[in-house]
Amino acid sequence: GESVGLHLPTLSVQEGDNSIINCAYSNSASDYFIWYKQESGKGPQFIIDIRSNMDKRQGQRVTVLLNKTVKHLSLQIAATQPGDSAVYFCAERRSELIFGQGTELSVKP
Amino acid sequence: KAGVTQTPRYLIKTRGQQVTLSCSPISGHRSVSWYQQTPGQGLQFLFEYFSETQRNKGNFPGRFSGRQFSNSRSEMNVSTLELGDSALYLCASGTLGGANEKLFFGSGTQLSVL
């Protein structure tokens, strides 16, 4: 079936390094994507979004890249900090949000 | 502006009981969606309400129901609880709930069924 999934369940990076979290989606008709961050004991927190008419969007220390040709989405976090440790979800917005399984990011000091 | 508020934060119930969870969306938001989060299944869509009407429903049994009030607050109910209903139940709100709109989540209600 159609789904949004993540390539890696866990990612460990050194503090100060850049992090890249990947996501593959299967519905080529999808035109809106969101990245969420979920810390322990909290609900998903909006990070950044992108529409299908764009291939890149930048926020504060985060960049989302969209490659519609291969149906791939990525989240880049610059200068990763300990506070970035969390589970990151990509979500495809249809009539509802379809979430990937999540990638747990661990930042080593 | 206050975020999405969910109550209670934690609940412990036994099999066969029923439970009601509450969600207050961000002020001005008219769309409320509910999601179930479990370690095995991840985040799954339950239903969405807009202007007191259920606009969309996920693939969950009829034991799961919800409603929305005129002030946009929403409740979801689970009847005849099963062990597998143990999960984090998340509520999300949006301005209009359209397909090109981000949703904002509350911290959830952690339900444990014993």
Side-chain angles (χ1 to χ4, degrees):
Chain A
E2 295 179 339
S3 63
V4 179
L6 293 166
H7 291 320
L8 294 173
T10 61
L11 176 65
S12 183
V13 300
Q14 203 71 37
E15 181 178 358
D17 287 352
N18 296 333
S19 303
I20 299 176
I21 300 172
N22 295 305
C23 176
Y25 66 95
S26 57
N27 188 345
S28 57
S30 295
D31 58 8
Y32 182 48
F33 304 89
I34 307 170
W35 280 99
Y36 285 95
K37 170 187 180 183
Q38 187 174 25
E39 297 174 286
S40 181
K42 297 183 179 180
Q45 175 188 357
F46 171 84
I47 301 174
I48 192 167
D49 57 359
I50 189 167
R51 303 191 189 283
S52 60
N53 61 350
M54 305 172 70
D55 53 20
K56 180 179 179 180
R57 190 160 190 232
Q58 289 184 289
Q60 186 176 11
R61 284 202 304 120
V62 295
T63 299
V64 55
L65 300 177
L66 175 63
N67 186 329
K68 293 182 287 294
T69 302
V70 294
K71 292 183 285 187
H72 183 268
L73 200 64
S74 69
L75 177 71
Q76 300 177 0
I77 305 173
T80 313
Q81 303 168 359
D84 294 327
S85 294
V87 177
Y88 290 80
F89 294 95
C90 65
E92 176 182 8
R93 186 78 161 101
R94 302 181 199 174
S95 53
E96 70 273 18
L97 283 170
I98 307 296
F99 284 88
Q101 290 301 307
T103 292
E104 183 174 11
L105 175 65
S106 298
V107 182
K108 297 177 288 187
Chain B
K1 206 176 201 182
V4 178
T5 304
Q6 291 188 246
T7 57
R9 187 71 179 87
Y10 301 95
L11 264 179
I12 299 175
K13 293 286 186 178
T14 56
R15 278 182 301 174
Q17 287 187 310
Q18 74 165 13
V19 67
T20 299
L21 313 181
S22 180
C23 171
S24 292
I26 292 171
S27 178
H29 283 194
R30 295 168 61 191
S31 164
V32 173
S33 300
W34 290 88
Y35 290 79
Q36 181 196 65
Q37 185 175 26
T38 60
Q41 299 298 316
L43 283 145
Q44 293 187 295
F45 171 72
L46 281 156
F47 25 66
E48 179 194 9
Y49 287 87
F50 179 79
S51 293
E52 302 179 66
T53 300
Q54 188 180 87
R55 190 158 64 177
N56 194 11
K57 189 178 190 304
N59 188 27
F60 278 82
R63 300 185 296 108
F64 291 81
S65 63
R67 59 177 176 169
Q68 186 181 32
F69 302 96
S70 58
N71 61 357
S72 295
R73 192 178 69 84
S74 177
E75 290 181 346
M76 69 162 280
N77 183 276
V78 188
S79 62
T80 320
L81 284 165
E82 301 177 0
L83 295 179
D85 297 333
S86 294
L88 179 66
Y89 289 88
L90 292 159
C91 169
S93 77
T95 308
L96 297 174
N100 290 310
E101 181 185 62
K102 63 178 75 71
L103 298 182
F104 298 90
F105 284 83
S107 292
T109 294
Q110 184 67 55
L111 172 65
S112 297
V113 182
L114 307 178

